Amino acid sequence: MQKHFTEIEAVGCGEQPQTRRGQERRLALLLSANDLFLEHGYDAVSLDDIVNHAGGSKTSIYKYFGNKEGLFTAICDYRRELFFKDICACYNSERDDLRSYLTQTLINFYLHLKKPENVAFIRLIFEQTQKNPELALYIHEKGAHFIQLTIAKALEQSHLQGKLSCPQPLSSAMMYFGILRDYEWRILMGLEINQPEQEVTKYIEYCVDHFLKGHQKV
Protein backbone atom coordinates (compact mmCIF):
# COMPACT_ATOMS: atom_id res chain seq x y z
CA MET A 1 0.00 0.00 0.00
CA GLN A 2 2.81 2.44 0.84
CA LYS A 3 4.42 1.99 -2.54
CA HIS A 4 1.12 2.83 -4.20
CA PHE A 5 0.77 5.88 -1.96
CA THR A 6 4.15 7.35 -2.86
CA GLU A 7 3.51 6.90 -6.56
CA ILE A 8 0.62 9.36 -6.47
CA GLU A 9 1.44 12.63 -8.12
CA ALA A 10 1.50 15.70 -5.86
CA VAL A 11 -1.38 18.07 -6.57
CA GLY A 12 -2.14 21.73 -6.11
CA CYS A 13 0.77 24.03 -5.30
CA GLY A 14 2.96 21.33 -3.80
CA GLU A 15 6.00 19.72 -5.32
CA GLN A 16 6.82 16.06 -5.87
CA PRO A 17 9.34 14.72 -3.33
CA GLN A 18 12.68 13.96 -4.93
CA THR A 19 14.18 11.88 -2.13
CA ARG A 20 13.12 8.78 -0.28
CA ARG A 21 12.97 10.77 2.94
CA GLY A 22 10.70 13.30 1.27
CA GLN A 23 8.43 10.53 0.00
CA GLU A 24 8.25 9.05 3.47
CA ARG A 25 7.44 12.45 4.98
CA ARG A 26 4.70 13.04 2.40
CA LEU A 27 3.35 9.55 3.03
CA ALA A 28 3.22 10.10 6.79
CA LEU A 29 1.31 13.36 6.35
CA LEU A 30 -1.20 11.76 3.97
CA LEU A 31 -1.80 8.80 6.25
CA SER A 32 -2.21 10.99 9.32
CA ALA A 33 -4.51 13.47 7.62
CA ASN A 34 -6.60 10.65 6.16
CA ASP A 35 -7.08 9.09 9.60
CA LEU A 36 -7.83 12.39 11.32
CA PHE A 37 -10.30 13.58 8.67
CA LEU A 38 -12.20 10.30 8.89
CA GLU A 39 -12.25 10.35 12.66
CA HIS A 40 -13.04 14.02 13.32
CA GLY A 41 -14.17 15.57 10.03
CA TYR A 42 -12.32 17.99 7.78
CA ASP A 43 -13.18 21.24 9.52
CA ALA A 44 -12.33 19.94 13.00
CA VAL A 45 -8.75 19.02 12.02
CA SER A 46 -6.05 21.68 11.85
CA LEU A 47 -2.63 21.54 10.23
CA ASP A 48 -1.17 21.49 13.73
CA ASP A 49 -3.24 18.40 14.50
CA ILE A 50 -1.87 16.66 11.41
CA VAL A 51 1.72 17.60 12.20
CA ASN A 52 1.36 16.49 15.82
CA HIS A 53 -0.02 13.16 14.63
CA ALA A 54 2.52 12.61 11.85
CA GLY A 55 5.55 14.40 13.26
CA GLY A 56 7.56 17.02 11.42
CA SER A 57 6.40 20.55 10.71
CA LYS A 58 3.78 22.48 8.76
CA THR A 59 6.52 23.47 6.32
CA SER A 60 6.33 19.99 4.82
CA ILE A 61 2.57 20.35 4.24
CA TYR A 62 3.09 23.67 2.43
CA LYS A 63 5.97 22.19 0.46
CA TYR A 64 4.27 19.01 -0.73
CA PHE A 65 0.60 20.05 -0.86
CA GLY A 66 0.41 23.83 -0.85
CA ASN A 67 -2.21 24.02 1.91
CA LYS A 68 -4.85 22.01 3.74
CA GLU A 69 -7.10 21.93 0.66
CA GLY A 70 -4.26 20.57 -1.45
CA LEU A 71 -3.62 17.89 1.15
CA PHE A 72 -7.27 16.86 1.12
CA THR A 73 -7.27 16.72 -2.68
CA ALA A 74 -4.18 14.50 -2.62
CA ILE A 75 -5.96 12.16 -0.20
CA CYS A 76 -8.96 12.10 -2.55
CA ASP A 77 -6.61 11.10 -5.38
CA TYR A 78 -5.10 8.36 -3.28
CA ARG A 79 -8.45 6.94 -2.18
CA ARG A 80 -9.87 7.24 -5.70
CA GLU A 81 -7.00 5.20 -7.12
CA LEU A 82 -7.39 2.55 -4.43
CA PHE A 83 -11.15 2.46 -4.99
CA PHE A 84 -11.09 2.16 -8.76
CA LYS A 85 -7.88 0.26 -9.51
CA ASP A 86 -9.47 -3.16 -8.88
CA ILE A 87 -12.96 -2.27 -10.09
CA CYS A 88 -12.66 -1.61 -13.77
CA ALA A 89 -9.66 -2.55 -15.93
CA CYS A 90 -9.52 -1.52 -19.57
CA TYR A 91 -11.61 -3.80 -21.76
CA ASN A 92 -9.79 -6.04 -24.23
CA SER A 93 -12.13 -7.55 -26.81
CA GLU A 94 -9.62 -10.27 -27.68
CA ARG A 95 -9.37 -11.39 -24.05
CA ASP A 96 -12.56 -10.35 -22.26
CA ASP A 97 -16.15 -11.49 -22.59
CA LEU A 98 -18.25 -8.32 -22.50
CA ARG A 99 -21.01 -9.77 -20.32
CA SER A 100 -18.52 -11.07 -17.76
CA TYR A 101 -16.60 -7.80 -17.87
CA LEU A 102 -19.70 -5.70 -17.21
CA THR A 103 -20.99 -8.05 -14.52
CA GLN A 104 -17.70 -8.25 -12.64
CA THR A 105 -17.22 -4.48 -12.77
CA LEU A 106 -20.51 -3.92 -10.96
CA ILE A 107 -19.79 -6.67 -8.43
CA ASN A 108 -16.41 -5.10 -7.69
CA PHE A 109 -17.99 -1.67 -7.39
CA TYR A 110 -20.58 -2.96 -4.93
CA LEU A 111 -18.01 -4.77 -2.77
CA HIS A 112 -15.75 -1.72 -2.61
CA LEU A 113 -18.68 0.57 -1.85
CA LYS A 114 -19.69 -1.57 1.12
CA LYS A 115 -16.40 -1.10 2.95
CA PRO A 116 -17.04 1.17 5.98
CA GLU A 117 -13.95 3.31 5.40
CA ASN A 118 -14.97 3.98 1.79
CA VAL A 119 -18.49 4.92 2.90
CA ALA A 120 -17.09 7.30 5.52
CA PHE A 121 -14.79 9.00 3.04
CA ILE A 122 -17.48 9.36 0.38
CA ARG A 123 -19.67 11.09 2.96
CA LEU A 124 -16.75 13.37 3.81
CA ILE A 125 -16.31 14.18 0.13
CA PHE A 126 -20.00 15.06 -0.20
CA GLU A 127 -19.66 17.42 2.74
CA GLN A 128 -16.60 19.18 1.35
CA THR A 129 -17.77 19.44 -2.25
CA GLN A 130 -20.84 21.37 -1.10
CA LYS A 131 -18.42 24.12 -0.06
CA ASN A 132 -15.94 23.80 -2.91
CA PRO A 133 -17.37 23.59 -6.46
CA GLU A 134 -13.89 23.25 -7.98
CA LEU A 135 -13.18 20.22 -5.81
CA ALA A 136 -16.57 18.76 -6.76
CA LEU A 137 -15.80 19.10 -10.47
CA TYR A 138 -12.30 17.67 -10.02
CA ILE A 139 -13.51 14.61 -8.11
CA HIS A 140 -16.35 14.02 -10.57
CA GLU A 141 -14.03 14.19 -13.58
CA LYS A 142 -11.38 11.96 -11.99
CA GLY A 143 -13.86 9.56 -10.38
CA ALA A 144 -17.39 8.97 -11.63
CA HIS A 145 -16.83 10.41 -15.09
CA PHE A 146 -13.55 8.53 -15.53
CA ILE A 147 -15.09 5.14 -14.83
CA GLN A 148 -18.07 6.00 -17.04
CA LEU A 149 -15.63 6.73 -19.87
CA THR A 150 -13.89 3.40 -19.26
CA ILE A 151 -17.16 1.53 -19.73
CA ALA A 152 -18.13 3.76 -22.65
CA LYS A 153 -14.92 2.81 -24.44
CA ALA A 154 -15.72 -0.88 -23.97
CA LEU A 155 -19.21 -0.35 -25.37
CA GLU A 156 -17.90 1.74 -28.26
CA GLN A 157 -15.34 -0.92 -29.12
CA SER A 158 -18.04 -3.60 -29.16
CA HIS A 159 -20.26 -1.33 -31.26
CA LEU A 160 -17.51 -0.76 -33.85
CA GLN A 161 -16.88 -4.51 -34.00
CA GLY A 162 -20.56 -5.09 -34.71
CA LYS A 163 -21.16 -7.06 -31.51
CA LEU A 164 -23.92 -4.73 -30.32
CA SER A 165 -25.68 -1.50 -31.20
CA CYS A 166 -24.49 1.37 -29.02
CA PRO A 167 -24.38 4.67 -30.92
CA GLN A 168 -24.21 6.72 -27.68
CA PRO A 169 -21.75 4.78 -25.48
CA LEU A 170 -21.37 7.42 -22.76
CA SER A 171 -25.14 7.65 -22.27
CA SER A 172 -25.31 3.87 -22.14
CA ALA A 173 -22.47 3.78 -19.60
CA MET A 174 -24.38 6.19 -17.37
CA MET A 175 -27.45 3.95 -17.68
CA TYR A 176 -25.32 0.92 -16.85
CA PHE A 177 -24.09 2.35 -13.54
CA GLY A 178 -27.68 3.18 -12.66
CA ILE A 179 -28.08 -0.55 -12.02
CA LEU A 180 -26.46 -0.06 -8.60
CA ARG A 181 -28.01 3.31 -7.78
CA ASP A 182 -30.47 1.97 -5.21
CA TYR A 183 -27.79 -0.04 -3.41
CA GLU A 184 -25.42 2.91 -3.54
CA TRP A 185 -27.87 5.29 -1.89
CA ARG A 186 -28.93 2.76 0.72
CA ILE A 187 -25.31 2.17 1.69
CA LEU A 188 -24.46 5.86 1.87
CA MET A 189 -27.57 6.61 3.92
CA GLY A 190 -26.71 3.86 6.37
CA LEU A 191 -29.65 1.62 5.56
CA GLU A 192 -29.11 -2.08 6.07
CA ILE A 193 -28.98 -4.33 3.01
CA ASN A 194 -30.56 -7.60 4.05
CA GLN A 195 -29.82 -9.43 0.83
CA PRO A 196 -26.84 -11.83 0.82
CA GLU A 197 -24.13 -11.11 -1.73
CA GLN A 198 -25.31 -14.04 -3.85
CA GLU A 199 -28.67 -12.33 -4.33
CA VAL A 200 -27.00 -9.05 -5.24
CA THR A 201 -24.87 -10.89 -7.79
CA LYS A 202 -27.98 -12.49 -9.31
CA TYR A 203 -29.60 -9.05 -9.52
CA ILE A 204 -26.52 -7.64 -11.27
CA GLU A 205 -26.41 -10.52 -13.74
CA TYR A 206 -30.13 -10.09 -14.48
CA CYS A 207 -29.72 -6.35 -15.13
CA VAL A 208 -26.59 -6.76 -17.26
CA ASP A 209 -28.39 -9.35 -19.39
CA HIS A 210 -31.26 -6.93 -20.00
CA PHE A 211 -28.82 -4.05 -20.57
CA LEU A 212 -27.09 -6.05 -23.31
CA LYS A 213 -30.43 -7.21 -24.70
CA GLY A 214 -31.38 -3.57 -25.12
CA HIS A 215 -28.22 -3.04 -27.16
CA GLN A 216 -28.62 -6.00 -29.47
CA LYS A 217 -28.24 -5.33 -33.17
CA VAL A 218 -31.61 -5.25 -34.88
Side-chain angles (χ1 to χ4, degrees):
M1 178 179 292
Q2 290 190 356
K3 180 180 178 182
H4 184 75
F5 218 139
T6 56
E7 288 173 349
I8 297 172
E9 182 180 359
V11 297
C13 300
E15 63 181 58
Q16 182 73 22
Q18 299 300 314
T19 65
R20 181 177 182 82
R21 182 177 179 182
Q23 291 177 346
E24 291 174 349
R25 170 72 4 225
R26 182 174 184 269
L27 170 61
L29 292 167
L30 278 169
L31 286 171
S32 294
N34 177 73
D35 292 344
L36 291 172
F37 289 154
L38 285 176
E39 183 176 356
H40 302 291
Y42 178 86
D43 292 331
V45 176
S46 68
L47 294 184
D48 286 328
D49 293 329
I50 297 169
V51 169
N52 290 336
H53 190 272
S57 68
K58 288 192 286 188
T59 301
S60 296
I61 295 180
Y62 298 132
K63 179 179 180 180
Y64 297 130
F65 307 103
N67 50 32
K68 183 180 177 182
E69 290 78 10
L71 175 55
F72 183 75
T73 303
I75 295 171
C76 289
D77 284 341
Y78 158 65
R79 297 197 65 90
R80 170 180 52 81
E81 288 196 18
L82 286 184
F83 188 88
F84 288 119
K85 73 183 182 72
D86 294 325
I87 288 180
C88 186
C90 292
Y91 174 71
N92 185 332
S93 61
E94 297 181 359
R95 177 195 64 204
D96 302 321
D97 171 71
L98 183 61
R99 179 185 182 275
S100 298
Y101 173 82
L102 295 176
T103 300
Q104 193 59 51
T105 295
L106 289 182
I107 292 173
N108 292 342
F109 190 93
Y110 173 76
L111 294 176
H112 278 60
L113 188 62
K114 281 183 61 180
K115 295 180 179 179
E117 188 173 323
N118 288 334
V119 174
F121 200 81
I122 291 172
R123 290 171 179 164
L124 181 60
I125 286 176
F126 284 167
E127 178 182 326
Q128 290 310 118
T129 53
Q130 294 302 306
K131 309 170 187 177
N132 189 337
E134 290 184 2
L135 178 64
L137 180 60
Y138 177 81
I139 291 177
H140 176 264
E141 291 298 314
K142 296 292 186 177
H145 188 59
F146 174 80
I147 195 170
Q148 287 169 358
L149 286 175
T150 302
I151 294 299
K153 289 178 182 178
L155 296 174
E156 182 180 37
Q157 186 176 345
S158 297
H159 173 78
L160 293 175
Q161 293 175 340
K163 296 179 179 179
L164 49 76
S165 176
C166 188
Q168 298 183 42
L170 183 56
S171 296
S172 292
M174 294 170 65
M175 182 194 308
Y176 161 79
F177 279 108
I179 290 172
L180 284 183
R181 191 69 66 231
D182 181 65
Y183 287 107
E184 184 178 357
W185 279 107
R186 286 162 63 186
I187 290 171
L188 294 177
M189 290 188 293
L191 299 177
E192 186 176 355
I193 296 178
N194 296 318
Q195 293 172 284
E197 288 182 3
Q198 300 94 308
E199 291 300 317
V200 177
T201 297
K202 289 180 181 179
Y203 162 78
I204 290 172
E205 291 173 341
Y206 171 84
C207 291
V208 168
D209 285 340
H210 281 268
F211 175 82
L212 290 174
K213 184 177 180 180
H215 289 83
Q216 286 180 348
K217 293 179 67 69
V218 178

